[in-house]
Amino acid sequence: KKLGVVGAGNVGATVALFAVNSGLCDVVLYDIVEGMPQGKALDILQNTAVLGIKASITGTNNLNELADSDIVVITAGLARKPGMRRKDLLMANAEIVGGIVNKLAPICPQAIYIVVTNPMDVMAYVTLAISGVQRQRVIGMGGILDSSRFKTFISMELGVSPQDIETLVLGGHGLYMVPLVRFTTVKGIPLSKWLSQDRIEALVHRTREGGAEIVSLLKTGSAYYAPAQSTFEMVKAIILDEKRVLPCSVYLDGEYGAKDVFNGVPVVLGKQGLEKIVELELTEEERTAFANSTEEVRSMIRILKE
Ligand code: NAI
């Protein structure tokens, strides 16, 4: 399988590293900065020699080298700086992502797009609109990362392995995300039996601010190891046709009461990309939170359409 990675910055290069080391695909790493993707590709190739893996990775400044990719991961764009809101990134990144997808769509007729660039739900919308592919083939990465952050904080609080924690975070990738506490269990036991309501709320709050917490610590960029691992999880589910149930941002056409918008919901990921949207019965409160989150994404799409 061929994986095209657009943007060889922190997230893109790390996705390329994970993908190459998995041995599951050949990788082409693209960026506009001259020499940079080539240098990182060579570095990643040399790491495979240490591991003794036979793998292929090429760095390029020519989008045509991504032709016939089976999966395209889009990470190109500007990263959020301290104090910068996701919305501020909107216009600049829509132009970058739209321009790239416009060039890739004709040369990657089979590709499944995984969109990472923020504001991710909106960039996924732009990717779908410009590529003109079926909605099964454009999937945004957000929910896996948000769920992993929630799991991490629960694991730290309880001193238990994240392996034993199940959770689900719905909604847009941002302050309007909807961590579903009701579906959060530790070894099958509801989180509410392990922690007080106050502590749960504190962890939910920290999860919502999870990206900002790392931005403020790093001062020079945003998180990329967990984002790249989350993205690779999606790549793997598609390549291996795993049919995993994972929270991802997909185009909603009536599901969860939302239409013509991307938002994070549980989906089945397999070789077709989005194979199924898993519809959960939400409580009144969860439905309202999800609708607010949808409205946030929609308002950014409106700004773009103006
Ligand atoms: P970065 O700044 O390290 O990398 C971005 C790369 O895009 C740079 O190398 C830059 O040269 C490249 N680029 C810019 N314009 C381009 C163009 N027209 N064509 C090709 N490449 C271009 O940023 P990082 O940390 O890798 O983040 C990438 C994006 O992913 C950001 O928008 C960030 O906000 C987003 N992100 C999303 C997450 C999510 O959960 N959906 C999580 C983490 C990051």
Short mmCIF file of all heavy atoms in Angstrom, two decimals, residues 7-11 30-33 36 75-80 93 96 100 116-118 120 141 145 173 222-223 227, ligand 1:
data_model
loop_
_atom_site.label_atom_id
_atom_site.label_comp_id
_atom_site.label_asym_id
_atom_site.label_seq_id
_atom_site.Cartn_x
_atom_site.Cartn_y
_atom_site.Cartn_z
N GLY A 7 2.62 17.40 4.26
CA GLY A 7 3.10 18.17 5.41
C GLY A 7 4.08 17.31 6.18
O GLY A 7 3.71 16.26 6.71
N ALA A 8 5.35 17.73 6.16
CA ALA A 8 6.39 16.93 6.83
C ALA A 8 6.83 17.60 8.13
O ALA A 8 7.99 17.51 8.52
CB ALA A 8 7.57 16.72 5.88
N GLY A 9 5.90 18.29 8.76
CA GLY A 9 6.20 18.93 10.04
C GLY A 9 6.17 17.90 11.16
O GLY A 9 6.40 16.70 10.93
N ASN A 10 5.87 18.36 12.36
CA ASN A 10 5.93 17.46 13.52
C ASN A 10 4.98 16.28 13.40
O ASN A 10 5.39 15.13 13.61
CB ASN A 10 5.62 18.25 14.79
CG ASN A 10 6.80 19.11 15.23
OD1 ASN A 10 7.95 18.80 14.89
ND2 ASN A 10 6.54 20.18 15.95
N VAL A 11 3.72 16.55 13.08
CA VAL A 11 2.76 15.45 13.02
C VAL A 11 3.04 14.57 11.79
O VAL A 11 3.14 13.34 11.90
CB VAL A 11 1.30 15.96 12.97
CG1 VAL A 11 0.33 14.78 12.84
CG2 VAL A 11 0.95 16.77 14.21
N TYR A 30 5.63 14.67 1.76
CA TYR A 30 5.67 15.88 0.94
C TYR A 30 5.59 17.14 1.81
O TYR A 30 4.85 17.18 2.80
CB TYR A 30 4.48 15.86 -0.03
CG TYR A 30 4.17 17.21 -0.64
CD1 TYR A 30 4.86 17.66 -1.76
CD2 TYR A 30 3.20 18.04 -0.08
CE1 TYR A 30 4.60 18.92 -2.30
CE2 TYR A 30 2.93 19.29 -0.61
CZ TYR A 30 3.63 19.72 -1.72
OH TYR A 30 3.38 20.96 -2.24
N ASP A 31 6.32 18.16 1.43
CA ASP A 31 6.21 19.46 2.09
C ASP A 31 6.63 20.53 1.08
O ASP A 31 7.31 20.23 0.10
CB ASP A 31 7.10 19.53 3.33
CG ASP A 31 6.63 20.58 4.35
OD1 ASP A 31 6.84 21.79 4.10
OD2 ASP A 31 6.05 20.19 5.38
N ILE A 32 6.25 21.78 1.34
CA ILE A 32 6.71 22.84 0.43
C ILE A 32 8.13 23.30 0.76
O ILE A 32 8.78 23.91 -0.08
CB ILE A 32 5.83 24.12 0.43
CG1 ILE A 32 5.31 24.44 1.83
CG2 ILE A 32 4.73 24.06 -0.58
CD1 ILE A 32 4.79 25.85 1.94
N VAL A 33 8.57 23.05 1.98
CA VAL A 33 9.91 23.52 2.35
C VAL A 33 10.96 22.65 1.65
O VAL A 33 10.98 21.43 1.83
CB VAL A 33 10.12 23.47 3.88
CG1 VAL A 33 11.53 23.91 4.25
CG2 VAL A 33 9.08 24.33 4.59
N MET A 36 13.57 19.71 3.23
CA MET A 36 13.13 19.23 4.54
C MET A 36 12.50 17.82 4.50
O MET A 36 12.93 16.92 5.24
CB MET A 36 12.21 20.28 5.18
CG MET A 36 11.86 20.02 6.60
SD MET A 36 10.33 19.15 6.63
CE MET A 36 9.18 20.47 6.90
N THR A 75 -1.61 16.84 6.85
CA THR A 75 -1.17 17.55 8.07
C THR A 75 -0.59 18.92 7.72
O THR A 75 -0.08 19.60 8.60
CB THR A 75 -0.08 16.76 8.84
OG1 THR A 75 1.16 16.86 8.10
CG2 THR A 75 -0.43 15.30 9.01
N ALA A 76 -0.66 19.30 6.46
CA ALA A 76 -0.05 20.58 6.06
C ALA A 76 -0.85 21.74 6.62
O ALA A 76 -2.07 21.70 6.66
CB ALA A 76 0.03 20.69 4.55
N GLY A 77 -0.15 22.74 7.03
CA GLY A 77 -0.84 23.93 7.52
C GLY A 77 -0.06 24.57 8.62
O GLY A 77 1.09 24.22 8.89
N LEU A 78 -0.71 25.51 9.24
CA LEU A 78 -0.07 26.20 10.35
C LEU A 78 -0.54 25.55 11.64
O LEU A 78 -1.69 25.14 11.73
CB LEU A 78 -0.47 27.67 10.34
CG LEU A 78 -0.31 28.38 8.98
CD1 LEU A 78 -0.85 29.80 9.04
CD2 LEU A 78 1.16 28.37 8.56
N ALA A 79 0.34 25.42 12.61
CA ALA A 79 -0.05 24.84 13.89
C ALA A 79 -0.51 25.98 14.80
O ALA A 79 -0.16 27.13 14.59
CB ALA A 79 1.11 24.08 14.51
N ARG A 80 -1.28 25.60 15.81
CA ARG A 80 -1.80 26.60 16.73
C ARG A 80 -0.68 27.13 17.63
O ARG A 80 0.09 26.37 18.18
CB ARG A 80 -2.88 25.95 17.59
CG ARG A 80 -3.85 26.91 18.17
CD ARG A 80 -5.19 26.21 18.43
NE ARG A 80 -5.02 24.94 19.10
CZ ARG A 80 -5.53 24.66 20.29
NH1 ARG A 80 -6.20 25.58 20.95
NH2 ARG A 80 -5.38 23.47 20.82
N ASN A 93 -5.50 27.84 6.68
CA ASN A 93 -5.40 26.40 6.44
C ASN A 93 -6.38 25.90 5.39
O ASN A 93 -6.08 24.95 4.67
CB ASN A 93 -5.55 25.64 7.76
CG ASN A 93 -4.28 25.71 8.59
OD1 ASN A 93 -3.27 26.23 8.13
ND2 ASN A 93 -4.32 25.20 9.80
N ILE A 96 -4.65 26.32 2.14
CA ILE A 96 -3.57 25.34 1.95
C ILE A 96 -4.16 23.96 1.62
O ILE A 96 -3.82 23.34 0.61
CB ILE A 96 -2.68 25.25 3.22
CG1 ILE A 96 -1.91 26.56 3.42
CG2 ILE A 96 -1.73 24.07 3.13
CD1 ILE A 96 -1.16 26.66 4.75
N ILE A 100 -4.13 21.81 -2.04
CA ILE A 100 -3.48 20.50 -2.15
C ILE A 100 -4.46 19.43 -2.65
O ILE A 100 -4.15 18.65 -3.55
CB ILE A 100 -2.89 20.09 -0.78
CG1 ILE A 100 -1.68 20.97 -0.46
CG2 ILE A 100 -2.51 18.62 -0.76
CD1 ILE A 100 -1.23 20.93 0.97
N VAL A 116 -5.98 15.85 9.28
CA VAL A 116 -5.48 16.17 10.62
C VAL A 116 -5.43 17.69 10.84
O VAL A 116 -5.69 18.18 11.94
CB VAL A 116 -4.07 15.56 10.84
CG1 VAL A 116 -3.54 15.87 12.23
CG2 VAL A 116 -4.10 14.06 10.62
N THR A 117 -5.10 18.42 9.79
CA THR A 117 -4.93 19.87 9.88
C THR A 117 -6.14 20.53 10.57
O THR A 117 -7.28 20.22 10.24
CB THR A 117 -4.76 20.47 8.46
OG1 THR A 117 -3.67 19.80 7.83
CG2 THR A 117 -4.50 21.96 8.51
N ASN A 118 -5.86 21.43 11.48
CA ASN A 118 -6.92 22.13 12.22
C ASN A 118 -7.40 23.40 11.52
O ASN A 118 -6.63 24.01 10.79
CB ASN A 118 -6.41 22.51 13.61
CG ASN A 118 -6.62 21.38 14.61
OD1 ASN A 118 -7.63 20.70 14.58
ND2 ASN A 118 -5.64 21.18 15.47
N MET A 120 -9.84 20.75 12.31
CA MET A 120 -9.91 19.51 11.55
C MET A 120 -11.28 19.21 10.95
O MET A 120 -11.36 18.81 9.78
CB MET A 120 -9.42 18.38 12.48
CG MET A 120 -9.59 17.00 11.96
SD MET A 120 -11.24 16.36 12.21
CE MET A 120 -11.26 16.04 13.94
N MET A 141 -9.25 13.08 11.91
CA MET A 141 -8.67 12.53 13.14
C MET A 141 -8.87 13.50 14.29
O MET A 141 -8.45 14.64 14.22
CB MET A 141 -7.17 12.27 12.93
CG MET A 141 -6.50 11.49 14.06
SD MET A 141 -6.28 12.37 15.62
CE MET A 141 -5.00 13.52 15.17
N LEU A 145 -7.58 10.80 19.52
CA LEU A 145 -6.67 11.59 20.36
C LEU A 145 -7.37 12.07 21.63
O LEU A 145 -6.84 11.93 22.74
CB LEU A 145 -6.16 12.79 19.55
CG LEU A 145 -5.30 13.79 20.29
CD1 LEU A 145 -4.03 13.14 20.82
CD2 LEU A 145 -4.95 14.97 19.39
N HIS A 173 -13.56 18.54 17.45
CA HIS A 173 -12.26 18.48 18.08
C HIS A 173 -11.93 19.88 18.58
O HIS A 173 -11.39 20.68 17.88
CB HIS A 173 -11.23 17.99 17.06
CG HIS A 173 -9.89 17.83 17.63
ND1 HIS A 173 -9.61 16.94 18.63
CD2 HIS A 173 -8.73 18.44 17.34
CE1 HIS A 173 -8.34 17.02 18.92
NE2 HIS A 173 -7.78 17.93 18.16
N SER A 222 2.57 22.59 18.87
CA SER A 222 1.52 21.84 19.55
C SER A 222 1.88 20.36 19.57
O SER A 222 2.89 19.94 19.00
CB SER A 222 0.17 22.11 18.87
OG SER A 222 0.26 21.83 17.50
N ALA A 223 1.02 19.59 20.23
CA ALA A 223 1.29 18.16 20.44
C ALA A 223 1.44 17.42 19.12
O ALA A 223 0.79 17.77 18.13
CB ALA A 223 0.11 17.56 21.21
N PRO A 227 -1.00 12.73 18.65
CA PRO A 227 -1.75 12.94 17.40
C PRO A 227 -1.27 12.01 16.27
O PRO A 227 -2.08 11.46 15.52
CB PRO A 227 -1.47 14.40 17.06
CG PRO A 227 -1.23 15.05 18.38
CD PRO A 227 -0.52 14.02 19.20
P1 NAI B 1 4.09 21.86 11.75
O1 NAI B 1 4.15 23.33 11.62
O2 NAI B 1 5.18 21.13 12.43
O3 NAI B 1 3.94 21.21 10.28
C1 NAI B 1 3.13 21.73 9.29
C2 NAI B 1 3.86 21.56 7.98
O4 NAI B 1 3.00 21.97 6.92
C3 NAI B 1 5.15 22.40 7.88
O5 NAI B 1 6.25 21.58 7.64
C4 NAI B 1 4.86 23.33 6.69
O6 NAI B 1 5.99 23.59 5.91
C5 NAI B 1 3.83 22.51 5.93
N1 NAI B 1 3.07 23.29 4.99
C6 NAI B 1 2.54 24.52 5.12
N2 NAI B 1 1.94 24.90 3.99
C7 NAI B 1 2.08 23.87 3.12
C8 NAI B 1 1.66 23.65 1.78
N3 NAI B 1 0.98 24.56 1.12
N4 NAI B 1 2.00 22.48 1.21
C9 NAI B 1 2.71 21.55 1.87
N5 NAI B 1 3.11 21.70 3.14
C10 NAI B 1 2.81 22.85 3.75
O7 NAI B 1 2.69 21.53 12.43
P2 NAI B 1 2.23 20.16 13.10
O8 NAI B 1 2.50 20.22 14.55
O9 NAI B 1 2.75 19.04 12.31
O10 NAI B 1 0.65 20.27 12.90
C11 NAI B 1 0.09 20.16 11.61
C12 NAI B 1 -1.41 20.47 11.63
O11 NAI B 1 -2.09 19.47 12.35
C13 NAI B 1 -1.78 21.78 12.31
O12 NAI B 1 -2.85 22.38 11.62
C14 NAI B 1 -2.23 21.35 13.69
O13 NAI B 1 -3.08 22.28 14.30
C15 NAI B 1 -2.93 20.07 13.32
N6 NAI B 1 -3.11 19.14 14.43
C16 NAI B 1 -4.32 18.51 14.52
C17 NAI B 1 -4.57 17.58 15.50
C18 NAI B 1 -5.89 16.87 15.53
O14 NAI B 1 -6.20 16.25 16.53
N7 NAI B 1 -6.68 16.90 14.49
C19 NAI B 1 -3.56 17.27 16.51
C20 NAI B 1 -2.29 17.91 16.29
C21 NAI B 1 -2.09 18.82 15.28
#
